[in-house]
Amino acid sequence: MQIKSPEFKQSARIALQDVNLQKALGNLKAGFPGKRAAAVARLPEFDRLRDEARDLKNHILEHLDLYLEQFEARVVENGGQVHWCRTSEDARQTILQICREQNAKTVTKGKSMVTEEINLNEYLEANGVRPVETDLGEYILQLRGDHPSHIIAPAIHLNLEDVSEAFHEHHKRPKLNDPAELMAEAREMLRKQFVAADVGITGANFLVAETGSTIIVTNEGNGDLTQTLPKTHIVVSSIEKVVPTLEDMTLFLRLLARSATGQEFSVYNTLSSGNRRPDDQDGPENFHVVLVDNGRSDMVGTQFQDMLRCIRCSACMNHCPVYGAVGGHSYGWVYPGPMGSVLTPQMIGIEQAALLPNASTACGKCEEVCPVRIPLPKLMRHWREKEFERHLTPRAVRWGLGSWAFLATRPKLYRLFSACASRFMRLLGSKKGRISSLPLASGWTDHRDMPVPTGKTFMQQWHARQQQETKS
């Protein structure tokens, strides 16, 4: 996927004017947040589970190497193989090599953000292997030559008309406008691919160190068909998804579905534990797990380690006012929303992603709804600090911050300046108490009026209150 994060501002402006996108985003706002709230209300111990999940994740990250080694040992005992890949290129080459060993011409894929991260589809196609997305949303996007704009609802930016047009163009059938009929048509087309595939590739929501199992959580049956019908099953996962035991996995599952879609549990929660055994009726002959680092191990022990707790529920973006206004593609890479604003700079560099940590109102809603209590606003501020340290911020911004710091460290001067600025803004204001144009603040007044300050400044009010308390 081409990196377009440096173009965030331009992309956001276009998104705000896109009528179809705004219609689709309206459906998002009306759906996931309400369903999550209802699901949480039905589980009184939800906040206690969040605390347990946060603490467990912290424990795992402190002993990540031990749990990954235990996971590998169990996979090997079960007859599978584990491949350690430090970079995206390592992961792509490893997966291609496995496909070539099986003489694979077609692979079916379950939904996987990690394969998007490593740009797997384009790489396989360039090397003579045809990947077929089998998740309905991902399948629609593949037909359109598009990319996901959301973690759990990849085609959330599309409307029914867009899907109907894509199916009509690629399936060469009459145009349909009923969702159930479109789903049936997709199912018919994909059945042939499931049977023909030489290799099946899935992601993993969690890796269980105790048993060497991987689990995928879906609301469609495509994931099961992808990993059981082909002779070879490849699981592609990032390293932080390991959990110690099956019981620990169920803790996260209770939080995941409620936070993501407002369900008590996802429809399919499918465990894979190696190759098909002699008495198994189905399953792959070969089982491979590709573990992708891609900068994650560099986050361990740093101020960004908390981000590795993420379980990819998308609650942060479902509640983010910025994401809700501009959609996922504006962020310009694989991971959108608040979690992407923290993760993307780590993976592609703050030089290319400096605008993303600033794409926040700092309202704190993302942290409030996170099932593992990731302090996303704080992590975005850390990236802003790094942006400032590397002189990546515009000169005007740096001058403004420097001026404010100069005043803020000199209380008497600060009080004098704020009082003068307040009077100046009153002179500029209209009779309706609005300022339509303000020097050095065109970013605000070009799009909205600035309210005229009324009454005393905060410092004046604070001083008056202290005097009153002293007298009383």
Side-chain angles (χ1 to χ4, degrees), residues 415 458-468:
R415 286 194 290 270
F458 173 81
M459 294 299 295
Q460 289 169 339
Q461 294 180 58
W462 181 259
H463 182 66
R465 177 176 292 186
Q466 282 185 318
Q467 286 184 328
Q468 185 177 359

Side-chain angles (χ1 to χ4, degrees), residues 38-59:
V40 169
R42 294 192 296 269
L43 187 67
E45 65 269 32
F46 186 77
D47 280 334
R48 177 176 60 79
L49 295 178
R50 293 172 70 195
D51 291 338
E52 291 179 8
R54 175 201 59 206
D55 295 343
L56 177 56
K57 268 290 188 177
N58 287 340
H59 165 79

Side-chain angles (χ1 to χ4, degrees), residues 385-395 398:
E385 292 165 4
K386 289 187 177 294
E387 175 195 18
F388 189 84
E389 290 168 1
R390 300 181 190 184
H391 298 270
L392 299 174
T393 49
R395 182 176 297 177
R398 296 181 63 80

Side-chain angles (χ1 to χ4, degrees), residues 62 107 142 145 153 185 260 269 365 403 440:
E62 289 172 3
V107 302
Q142 189 174 36
E185 184 174 312
N269 297 272
K365 191 66 177 179
S403 299
L440 304 178

